[in-house]
Amino acid sequence: MHSEAILNDQGGTMAITVRSGVTDEPRTKGDRRRARLVEMLGEGSDKRASVNELAQALDVSVVTIRRDLALLEKDEIISRTYGGASLAPGRRELTMAQRQVSNAVEKEAIAQVAVSLINEGDLVILDAGSTAERIATAIDNRFELTVVTNGLRCINQLVGQDKVHVLVLGGNLRGINETICGGDAEMTLSRIYGNIAFVGADAVSAERGIASRTYDQSRLKSMMLRQASQVYVIADSSKLDDDTDYPYWSPLPHEWGLITDVKASSEQIDALEERGATTILLAGEQSPKDSRNSKEEP
């Protein structure tokens, strides 16, 4: 995978050119099936599955599953076990292409709710990630906005929206999730205070906050949580109260909002409300007005 963002000075204006070696979604039926296979291996308590279980779940032959597993093992994404497979140690993180097909319906619903909260003229802080990318797409050039982001995929979606001024947080590129972070990004963000921020998470815990894969990502997310009047964590219900195997955490502020999907359990929501979630919006079949709000708007 190769991704880069290049700033060119053309006639006194800064033009952003973005190239990515990863397509928006897996391109073939086989690519989509293997992405779903990796997602399935990351689910459940033991993180393992037999060949027969995988074939039945994906409605394909055992021969097809074995071929897929061989390709994934070659790329060091999974490890073959007797009669089955598990994710390879240290490779439980999905690529962005694989995340595109993970909980895609829920992420799209979350994006639509998020965009409904944006007003004309807002300065929006938008984190990196597959859900954030869907928010960037859903903006759809409808507003005169400034969007501050550290996500290459968000930039890709916004670059053609001429009503949207994009401010890119510079720094170090982490290839697997196409995220920019580091000291330069933090320095730029420290000079910005937005109307609204949408912050992604690998997991959300009422006790620990929001999880990240790296220390730099955690630092930048912590700053995003402080740098806007309204702060919303964007996370589908599969990420709620999942604190397994994540070393870095950003504490939640005293007051914050959550946009998740209708599959979130009442126990998960209650725990997050106790931790200061003043607004919880459940995206999906019900409308945002039916969502849980623990604090009335003035």
Side-chain angles (χ1 to χ4, degrees):
M1 180 182 71
H2 176 68
S3 302
E4 59 180 331
I6 306 171
L7 295 181
N8 299 312
D9 192 352
Q10 298 176 347
T13 62
M14 300 300 289
I16 301 172
T17 302
V18 179
R19 303 189 186 99
S20 178
V22 177
T23 56
D24 288 347
E25 296 186 4
R27 292 172 292 177
T28 69
K29 185 177 180 180
D31 290 336
R32 292 192 294 272
R33 185 180 60 250
R34 285 185 285 276
R36 175 58 185 149
L37 194 156
V38 172
E39 179 188 351
M40 290 169 61
L41 290 175
E43 297 171 347
S45 57
D46 57 5
K47 312 286 187 183
R48 298 176 183 175
S50 72
V51 170
N52 288 333
E53 289 171 341
L54 294 169
Q56 184 176 5
L58 294 174
D59 194 24
V60 295
S61 69
V62 169
V63 173
T64 297
I65 288 297
R66 285 177 175 157
R67 187 186 306 119
D68 286 343
L69 293 178
L71 290 171
L72 292 170
E73 184 178 40
K74 183 179 179 181
D75 291 336
E76 300 182 349
I77 295 173
I78 63 103
S79 294
R80 301 288 290 274
T81 61
Y82 182 75
S86 64
L87 289 180
R91 286 301 305 269
R92 297 193 184 280
E93 183 174 7
L94 303 181
T95 66
M96 287 298 292
Q98 291 162 345
R99 291 184 188 210
Q100 281 291 324
V101 295
S102 172
N103 300 307
V105 173
E106 291 80 5
K107 291 175 181 177
E108 180 62 31
I110 289 169
Q112 295 299 325
V113 171
V115 171
S116 74
L117 302 174
I118 298 173
N119 296 308
E120 188 83 14
D122 276 353
L123 190 154
V124 179
I125 297 173
L126 183 59
D127 199 1
S130 55
T131 306
E133 179 188 2
R134 290 178 182 272
I135 293 174
T137 303
I139 289 172
D140 196 27
N141 209 35
R142 286 184 280 171
F143 313 94
E144 296 281 353
L145 293 175
T146 295
V147 175
V148 180
T149 185
N150 66 318
L152 284 188
R153 290 197 169 220
C154 294
I155 300 166
N156 275 321
Q157 297 302 328
L158 294 168
V159 71
Q161 300 184 36
D162 57 12
K163 291 184 180 180
V164 182
H165 172 67
V166 181
L167 177 58
V168 179
L169 297 177
N172 300 316
L173 172 63
R174 186 168 185 262
I176 190 169
N177 63 351
E178 303 183 46
T179 297
I180 304 167
C181 54
D184 289 338
E186 293 170 26
M187 183 177 296
T188 301
L189 187 59
S190 70
R191 299 186 175 97
I192 296 167
Y193 193 78
N195 301 97
I196 192 166
F198 299 110
V199 185
D202 285 289
V204 182
S205 167
E207 292 76 28
R208 298 184 181 185
I210 61 177
S212 300
R213 297 277 178 173
T214 69
Y215 178 65
D216 282 349
Q217 286 176 282
S218 181
R219 282 180 58 95
L220 191 59
K221 288 179 189 290
S222 294
M223 183 171 286
M224 287 180 174
L225 292 170
R226 300 192 300 265
Q227 295 298 109
S229 299
Q230 299 179 71
V231 173
Y232 287 92
V233 175
I234 48 173
D236 65 75
S237 57
S238 70
K239 298 178 179 180
L240 303 185
D241 210 24
D242 174 10
D243 59 1
T244 305
D245 297 332
Y246 294 107
Y248 304 106
W249 294 84
S250 300
L252 292 163
H254 293 299
E255 294 185 359
W256 57 286
L258 171 69
I259 310 176
T260 188
D261 60 81
V262 293
K263 295 180 182 178
S265 69
S266 57
E267 291 80 9
Q268 290 171 327
I269 293 173
D270 289 343
L272 294 169
E273 283 182 333
E274 290 177 6
R275 181 55 187 82
T278 56
T279 302
I280 294 181
L281 302 178
L282 304 179
E285 295 179 0
Q286 68 183 51
S287 65
K289 68 180 181 180
D290 297 323
S291 301
R292 298 275 292 272
N293 291 273
S294 58
K295 183 175 180 179
E296 296 293 331
E297 294 292 335

